[in-house]
């Protein structure tokens, strides 16, 4: 608790009294309860609040973090919380509270209802997701105290649900820690042997990075660009995944990486030029996520460089505010937008390209819901470019039909021809990474046809076609 108060002192001292009150409230309610580790239960909500304070969360969110388990594990009600604190805290705590056996006896139904509630949180108030992630992170950090079976179960759920959620909101720091913790329990020997291997390579790798860091630092300092340079190590899971895909350790282009953080956008490009003047870049490895941000708002320049020893080093160049977003995603708005953070977070989630898929899944029956969430919302995505160069993110396996309806009903319903990478293709062409797609429309077209339904991958596109045909009939 001391630590949490110290963090608050630094960025939000006005909230200290309210947070102390929440601590008193929660610790008296959890009195006599213990964690699997044997520690008093209250240590868990305090750690969760502390993770949230690292993201500079607002007062209501910190308080909700302290109270996040009281509805589930004590006799308190939502009304009590609203009375002692406020409506916002009450609805945040309610949002992170799972249904229990009393509410929904069937395990399967309960699972669907809980996932539905979680996904609803993404659109209602993303702070619910951030609290959930902090909760999961602390539970995963302390998972060793749980029975073996529970460890596997939680690790799997973390990998399938919470890792994609963290990615979706751009919280990379939490995402990579959750991945490593999950892998540790899912493939313990695989994790340990890779960790050991990386430890052995560390002195050599660090030497390469340090040398490059020193050189880059000198050339940037010569131009008086305010900067900070850090060495970045790819997380164990990231390496594990590449090896599983059949790559060799030496082929992983971002195994060794540097982060160069500068004061402003124009200096990102100037720095890129300076670095390319010193080290040869791998031509097809350059990415401009500043002009084309990822849909989770990640912005950075990526370039992979050859070292004089012939090794590859990925260099990420970005501005300070972009770096905050790269670590915390939407949670970075707490810091950059202060009092207005909640509104900006809401706008941001509302404009997400995944939003139509989320809404569609939430409207579907319980039988279809989990499958849709897995395949369309939390699945890996393929990125394609429109004719104007806009980047669109779609679930892997999507066809041109899915893209057309993601761009809007007016495009889907007037599509008559498609050109991908300068070649005519059919509307059921399965989109590939970096495809350049031009959809030709004709306002006099017949509109979308029933034959397209099985050719669409996403239930969102299918639903839009069904809707069109229903209205026409
Ligand atoms: Mn908890």
């Amino acid at each position: 608790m001391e630590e949490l108060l110290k963090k608050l002192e630094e960025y939000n001292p006005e909230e200290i009294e309210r947070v102390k009150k929440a601590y008193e409230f929660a610790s008296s309610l959890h009195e006599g309860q213990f964690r699997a580790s044997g520690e008093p239960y209250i240590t868990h909500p305090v750690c969760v609040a502390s993770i949230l304070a690292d993201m500079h969360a607002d007062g209501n969110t910190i308080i909700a973090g302290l109270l996040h388990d009281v509805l589930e594990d004590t006799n308190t009600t939502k009304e009590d919380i609203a009375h002692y604190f406020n409506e916002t805290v009450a609805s945040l705590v309610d949002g992170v509270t799972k249904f229990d056996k009393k509410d929904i006896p069937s395990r399967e139904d309960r699972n669907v209802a809980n996932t539905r509630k979680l996904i609803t949180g993404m659109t209602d108030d993303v702070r619910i997701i951030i609290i959930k992630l902090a909760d999961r992170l602390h539970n995963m950090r302390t998972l060793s105290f749980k029975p073996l079976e529970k460890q596997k179960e939680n690790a799997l759920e973390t990998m399938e649900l919470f890792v994609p959620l963290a990615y979706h909101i751009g919280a990379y720091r939490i995402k990579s820690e959750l991945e490593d913790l999950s892998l540790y329990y899912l493939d313990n020997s695989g994790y340990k042997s890779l960790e050991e291997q990386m430890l052995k390579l560390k002195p050599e790798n660090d030497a390469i990075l340090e040398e490059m860091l020193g050189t880059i630092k000198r050339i940037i300092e010569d131009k008086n660009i305010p900067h900070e340079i850090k060495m970045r190590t790819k997380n164990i899971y990231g390496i594990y995944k590449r090896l599983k895909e059949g790559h060799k350790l030496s082929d992983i282009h971002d195994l060794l990486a540097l982060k160069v953080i500068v004061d402003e956008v124009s200096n990102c490009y100037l720095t890129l030029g300076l670095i390319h003047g010193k080290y040869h870049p791998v031509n097809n490895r350059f990415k401009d996520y500043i002009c084309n941000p990822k849909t989770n708002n990640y912005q950075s320049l990526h370039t992979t460089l050859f070292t004089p020893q012939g090794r590859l080093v990925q260099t990420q160049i970005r501005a300070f505010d972009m770096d905050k977003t790269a670590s915390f995603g939407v949670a970075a708005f707490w810091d950059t937008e202060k009092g207005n953070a909640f509104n900006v977070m809401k706008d941001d989630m509302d404009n997400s390209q995944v939003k139509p898929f989320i809404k569609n899944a939430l409207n579907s029956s319980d039988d279809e819901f989990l499958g849709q969430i897995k395949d369309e919302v939390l699945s890996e995505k393929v990125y394609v470019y429109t004719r104007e160069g806009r980047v669109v993110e779609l679930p892997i396996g999507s066809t041109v039909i899915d893209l057309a309806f993601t761009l809007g009903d007016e495009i889907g319903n007037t599509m008559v021809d498609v050109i991908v990478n300068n070649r005519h293709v059919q509307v059921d062409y399965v989109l590939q990474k970096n495809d350049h797609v031009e959809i030709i429309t004709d306002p006099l077209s017949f509109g979308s046809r029933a034959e397209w339904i099985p050719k669409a991958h996403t239930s969102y596109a299918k639903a839009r076609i069904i809707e069109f045909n229903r209205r026409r009939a």
Side-chain angles (χ1 to χ4, degrees):
M1 192 58 194
E2 295 282 293
E3 224 184 277
L4 172 61
L5 292 176
K6 220 163 81 197
K7 287 176 191 173
L8 279 171
E9 188 75 58
E10 270 169 35
Y11 82 92
N12 204 356
E14 313 84 80
E15 294 285 7
I16 286 187
E17 283 318 306
R18 243 165 35 104
V19 169
K20 276 185 180 164
K21 183 181 156 195
Y23 172 76
E24 299 300 333
F25 186 76
S27 60
S28 73
L29 286 169
H30 288 298
E31 185 77 63
Q33 297 175 348
F34 294 91
R35 294 277 288 169
S37 62
E39 287 178 295
Y41 195 86
I42 188 67
T43 55
H44 164 64
V46 169
C47 286
V48 170
S50 188
I51 292 169
L52 293 166
D54 287 335
M55 297 186 243
H56 291 185
D58 61 43
N60 287 332
T61 307
I62 299 284
I63 292 168
L66 285 168
L67 302 181
H68 82 269
D69 276 329
V70 301
L71 292 181
E72 221 160 287
D73 300 337
T74 78
N75 289 325
T76 326
T77 63
K78 190 181 171 189
E79 289 68 36
D80 291 337
I81 300 176
H83 173 76
Y84 288 113
F85 298 93
N86 59 37
E87 287 293 339
T88 305
V89 174
S91 77
L92 287 173
V93 176
D94 183 55
V96 299
T97 302
K98 282 192 188 168
F99 296 108
D100 64 15
K101 279 195 195 103
K102 278 194 288 350
D103 306 317
I104 305 169
S106 141
R107 193 187 152 99
E108 217 171 293
D109 292 351
R110 199 161 63 238
N111 187 19
V112 175
N114 281 326
T115 311
R116 211 180 256 283
K117 189 169 180 182
L118 191 61
I119 300 297
T120 308
M122 280 165 89
T123 50
D124 282 1
D125 188 340
V126 69
R127 291 177 296 185
I128 293 172
I129 302 298
I130 301 172
I131 299 168
K132 270 282 186 190
L133 285 170
D135 178 34
R136 180 53 61 128
L137 183 57
H138 185 249
N139 284 336
M140 289 300 293
R141 282 178 183 168
T142 52
L143 196 59
S144 62
F145 299 102
K146 292 275 188 186
L148 211 69
E149 199 182 318
K150 202 80 199 138
Q151 290 177 351
K152 295 257 186 215
E153 193 185 307
N154 286 3
L156 192 63
E157 189 189 43
T158 299
M159 207 59 119
E160 287 183 342
L161 188 58
F162 291 92
V163 164
L165 279 177
Y167 174 79
H168 181 69
I169 67 160
Y172 283 93
R173 204 178 276 193
I174 292 183
K175 173 183 171 272
S176 47
E177 191 179 344
L178 286 178
E179 283 173 340
D180 278 3
L181 287 164
S182 301
L183 181 64
Y184 180 86
Y185 293 101
L186 291 173
D187 180 1
N188 190 262
S189 59
Y191 180 94
K192 282 191 171 150
S193 80
L194 192 53
E195 190 186 37
E196 204 177 298
Q197 206 178 340
M198 292 313 295
L199 212 61
K200 243 184 256 159
L201 295 171
K202 195 173 166 21
E204 189 194 330
N205 289 343
D206 281 359
I208 290 169
L209 285 176
E210 269 159 29
E211 189 193 321
M212 191 179 248
L213 190 150
T215 307
I216 292 176
K217 196 165 184 58
R218 270 194 305 281
I219 53 181
I220 306 181
E221 259 163 13
D222 274 352
K223 300 285 176 191
N224 292 317
I225 301 171
H227 67 278
E228 194 181 325
I229 311 180
K230 293 179 197 160
M231 294 179 358
R232 171 193 163 279
T233 30
K234 197 171 176 65
N235 69 342
I236 297 283
Y237 176 74
I239 303 168
Y240 180 90
K241 198 174 142 203
R242 281 296 155 79
L243 297 179
K244 278 272 155 165
E245 287 165 359
H247 296 273
K248 278 187 294 198
L249 209 51
S250 54
D251 298 341
I252 302 177
H253 71 100
D254 59 350
L255 185 70
L256 305 181
L258 289 177
K259 277 197 295 190
V260 182
I261 310 157
V262 298
D263 58 338
E264 55 185 61
V265 174
S266 58
N267 278 336
C268 292
Y269 292 96
L270 180 55
T271 300
L272 175 76
L274 293 169
I275 292 176
H276 280 184
K278 185 76 195 169
Y279 297 98
H280 288 287
V282 180
N283 264 349
N284 60 0
R285 277 281 164 213
F286 174 68
K287 299 247 171 63
D288 187 341
Y289 292 119
I290 292 181
C291 289
N292 282 329
K294 290 194 186 182
T295 50
N296 60 19
N297 288 334
Y298 176 83
Q299 285 189 295
S300 193
L301 300 175
H302 285 190
T303 183
T304 300
L305 310 167
F306 288 102
T307 71
Q309 302 89 341
R311 296 284 301 271
L312 297 175
V313 175
Q314 188 195 55
T315 307
Q316 306 177 348
I317 307 164
R318 54 185 174 248
F320 286 108
D321 54 337
M322 295 173 189
D323 190 53
K324 218 158 248 165
T325 302
S327 298
F328 301 120
V330 284
F333 289 133
W334 272 317
D335 221 27
T336 56
E337 303 287 334
K338 303 281 188 276
N340 198 31
F342 173 66
N343 294 323
V344 181
M345 282 179 184
K346 178 130 190 68
D347 279 355
D348 190 68
M349 297 311 287
D350 280 346
N351 292 326
S352 156
Q353 290 190 0
V354 187
K355 181 86 189 275
F357 303 123
I358 296 178
K359 266 177 72 181
N360 191 58
L362 285 171
N363 282 331
S364 64
S365 71
D366 276 5
D367 288 342
E368 299 163 329
F369 175 72
L370 282 185
Q372 281 187 30
I373 288 296
K374 243 188 194 161
D375 296 343
E376 298 175 26
V377 177
L378 303 176
S379 61
E380 279 198 55
K381 305 291 189 298
V382 57
Y383 293 83
V384 300
Y385 295 92
T386 65
R387 195 168 67 123
E388 308 79 44
R390 199 180 138 210
V391 180
V392 184
E393 173 186 306
L394 291 153
I396 284 183
S398 291
T399 65
V400 176
I401 300 170
D402 299 291
L403 171 65
F405 282 96
T406 306
L407 294 173
D409 284 359
E410 65 288 356
I411 308 275
N413 288 329
T414 57
M415 172 165 65
V416 288
D417 198 3
V418 193
I419 300 170
V420 172
N421 307 329
N422 296 320
R423 279 183 39 229
H424 284 272
V425 299
Q426 302 294 315
V427 290
D428 60 352
Y429 168 84
V430 177
L431 297 166
Q432 305 296 313
K433 189 168 118 188
N434 292 329
D435 273 348
H436 197 130
V437 188
E438 186 176 346
I439 293 175
I440 315 231
T441 56
D442 180 349
L444 297 176
S445 89
F446 297 112
S448 57
R449 356 267 145 100
E451 305 96 81
W452 286 3
I453 296 170
K455 296 177 177 174
H457 174 72
T458 64
S459 22
Y460 174 70
K462 291 181 204 285
R464 298 317 301 154
I465 300 169
I466 291 167
E467 171 69 14
F468 177 83
N469 284 288
R470 199 174 55 82
R471 265 186 287 132
R472 180 163 58 179

Short mmCIF file of all heavy atoms in Angstrom, two decimals, residues 32 207 211 462:
data_model
loop_
_atom_site.label_atom_id
_atom_site.label_comp_id
_atom_site.label_asym_id
_atom_site.label_seq_id
_atom_site.Cartn_x
_atom_site.Cartn_y
_atom_site.Cartn_z
N GLY A 32 -9.89 -11.81 6.98
CA GLY A 32 -10.05 -13.25 7.22
C GLY A 32 -9.95 -14.10 5.96
O GLY A 32 -9.95 -15.32 6.03
N ALA A 207 26.69 -7.20 -26.37
CA ALA A 207 27.86 -6.49 -26.88
C ALA A 207 27.54 -5.86 -28.23
O ALA A 207 27.90 -4.70 -28.50
CB ALA A 207 29.04 -7.45 -26.99
N GLU A 211 27.34 -1.72 -28.79
CA GLU A 211 28.20 -1.03 -29.76
C GLU A 211 27.36 -0.18 -30.70
O GLU A 211 27.66 0.99 -30.95
CB GLU A 211 29.00 -2.07 -30.55
CG GLU A 211 30.07 -1.43 -31.41
CD GLU A 211 30.65 -2.39 -32.44
OE1 GLU A 211 30.83 -3.59 -32.08
OE2 GLU A 211 30.88 -1.96 -33.58
N LYS A 462 -21.72 -11.61 -43.70
CA LYS A 462 -22.90 -12.46 -43.97
C LYS A 462 -24.17 -11.77 -43.50
O LYS A 462 -25.17 -11.73 -44.22
CB LYS A 462 -22.76 -13.82 -43.26
CG LYS A 462 -21.67 -14.74 -43.82
CD LYS A 462 -21.66 -16.05 -43.03
CE LYS A 462 -20.34 -16.78 -43.08
NZ LYS A 462 -20.06 -17.45 -44.35
#
